[in-house]
Amino acid sequence: MTKTSGVELVTVPCLSDNYAFLVHDAASGQTALIDAPEAAPIQAALDARGWVLTDILLTHHHPDHVDGVDALRGQARVVGAAADAHRMPALDLAVVEGDTITVCGQKTDVIDVSGHTVGHIAFHMPGAALVFTADSLMAMGCGRLFEGTPAQMWDSLLKLRALPDETVVCSGHEYTLSNARFAQTLDPENQALKSRVTAITTARDAGQATVPSTLADEKQTNPFLRADDPAFKAVLGMSEARDVDVFAHVRAAKDKF
Ligand code: ZN
Ligand code: FE
């Protein structure tokens, strides 16, 4: 459990490698769930704390993010992207980029982060320094491009990278060790990467989650955020390439890793 300004954050492992998140505001008693991979572990986490869901925020339509919604919704308000409304459980509120909603007393900004899917959104709570990114920006990685183009994902990652360094990045899967091993094949001399790989390996050996992470760490070590970094481009032998082409190269290499 992490306490940020005013709200508590609980990470709930689901399925084989998914994460759902609970945000709780003690002052109002409100509780939000971000993504619903399956109901049972989320309901258990709620029951253990005596919390009742007031909001369910959905990032994208994939089953491993929405399958638990109908079993959990109760009286909660279900929020998701207008672009995905036709292929998601019923929404009470359909949102688009630029919308601001209030969740657990926190101003929450909707950011379009298409790429993994078209219509994937992230939820940013600037007052709590939290961003829920699911399968867009991930710990040392980013989601596979199932629907969007490299240009769409690169643009999405630039929006997320522009958030404050201290932002806690709550992503959707425990893929970090594989992501780290891939990052090291590209950039073996990166000292920040070396020390993060050590920390991640230790955490995983102890059965601990490596999600959430901080945006500051992602900026230094996530190869998908560094496609415009001249030093990284040079290491890849792509100094003259466009940023988006460097991103596309790294994403394609990860698909084959
Ligand atoms: Zn997905
Ligand atoms: Fe997923």
Side-chain angles (χ1 to χ4, degrees):
M1 182 180 72
T2 310
K3 277 213 176 202
T4 55
S5 62
V7 295
E8 280 177 38
L9 175 72
V10 176
T11 304
V12 184
C14 294
L15 303 174
S16 58
D17 57 33
N18 278 77
Y19 290 118
F21 299 92
L22 294 171
V23 173
H24 179 74
D25 173 34
S28 64
Q30 294 185 336
T31 304
L33 168 68
I34 297 84
D35 281 347
E38 59 174 336
I42 295 166
Q43 192 61 57
L46 290 165
D47 292 346
R49 294 165 178 84
W51 296 351
V52 175
L53 287 179
T54 43
D55 292 277
I56 300 175
L57 310 182
L58 301 175
T59 60
H60 68 296
H61 75 281
H62 281 159
D64 65 309
H65 297 257
V66 304
D67 270 359
V69 170
D70 285 326
L72 290 163
R73 69 166 71 224
Q75 300 304 308
R77 172 180 69 163
V78 180
V79 181
D84 271 344
H86 64 288
R87 55 180 182 176
M88 277 187 154
L91 301 179
D92 299 301
L93 181 64
V95 294
V96 298
E97 173 158 88
D99 282 355
T100 295
I101 57 177
T102 301
V103 178
C104 290
Q106 298 290 323
K107 173 183 173 288
T108 303
D109 297 317
V110 176
I111 306 172
D112 182 303
V113 291
S114 288
H116 175 68
T117 62
V118 173
H120 194 313
I121 53 177
F123 296 95
H124 180 220
M125 298 180 172
L130 294 171
V131 67
F132 298 93
T133 59
D135 299 354
S136 58
L137 175 61
M138 307 176 98
M140 310 193 76
C142 75
R144 241 174 222 267
L145 303 181
F146 287 118
E147 297 178 5
T149 63
Q152 280 176 308
M153 181 62 103
W154 175 238
D155 183 55
S156 296
L157 294 179
L158 288 177
K159 289 186 234 176
L160 294 168
R161 196 180 68 179
L163 301 178
D165 271 1
E166 64 272 20
T167 307
V168 173
V169 180
C170 302
S171 54
H173 291 269
E174 183 61 60
Y175 291 162
T176 318
L177 203 51
S178 155
N179 289 341
R181 288 182 180 133
F182 170 70
Q184 279 203 305
T185 65
L186 300 180
D187 198 13
E189 301 310 319
N190 179 338
Q191 285 303 323
L193 180 55
K194 281 185 191 175
S195 46
R196 192 168 176 202
V197 171
T198 303
I200 282 165
T201 305
T202 304
R204 292 309 294 152
D205 286 348
Q208 293 163 358
T210 63
V211 174
S213 57
T214 68
L215 191 59
D217 280 347
E218 297 307 328
K219 285 185 187 180
Q220 287 192 304
T221 60
N222 188 322
F224 299 100
L225 289 185
R226 300 182 58 230
D228 59 350
D229 178 336
F232 186 55
K233 282 181 162 180
V235 166
L236 297 175
M238 298 184 77
S239 289
E240 304 305 317
R242 294 186 307 155
D243 301 344
V244 66
D245 292 332
V246 175
F247 172 78
H249 167 81
V250 174
R251 185 58 261 179
K254 177 64 168 71
D255 289 346
K256 290 184 222 111
F257 181 67

